[in-house]
Amino acid sequence: MLLRAGAMLDACCNQESAEDLLRRHEDKWPAYTTDPHLIELKRVFRGVRASKGSYARYVKKEVLVILALVRRGRASTID
């Protein structure tokens, strides 16, 4: 929600990046390292970083990839 509104990943809390905060919490609670929501959150953060810090660019790229897969008949649904 905050990324969609334009929040930055850098200096989220006390000059720590979002990734640093996640790492700190993983150190405190190692069980969370396998949580699928946390794994997906890390993937989103990496994608936003790769998209020059823009969540909008990240989402656009994800949608374009899915559309390309659909056009080639390589995308499928789970059901």
Side-chain angles (χ1 to χ4, degrees), residues 22-35:
L22 283 178
R23 269 187 233 104
R24 190 163 38 109
H25 288 293
E26 284 178 339
D27 292 341
K28 285 183 185 177
W29 300 289
Y32 284 125
T33 57
T34 58
D35 180 10

Side-chain angles (χ1 to χ4, degrees), residues 3 17-47 58:
L3 286 174
S17 71
E19 295 91 346
D20 291 339
L21 289 171
L22 283 178
R23 269 187 233 104
R24 190 163 38 109
H25 288 293
E26 284 178 339
D27 292 341
K28 285 183 185 177
W29 300 289
Y32 284 125
T33 57
T34 58
D35 180 10
H37 296 101
L38 186 63
I39 292 168
E40 179 65 17
L41 185 59
K42 288 180 191 177
R43 189 183 73 78
V44 169
F45 286 171
R46 279 193 306 272
Y58 163 72

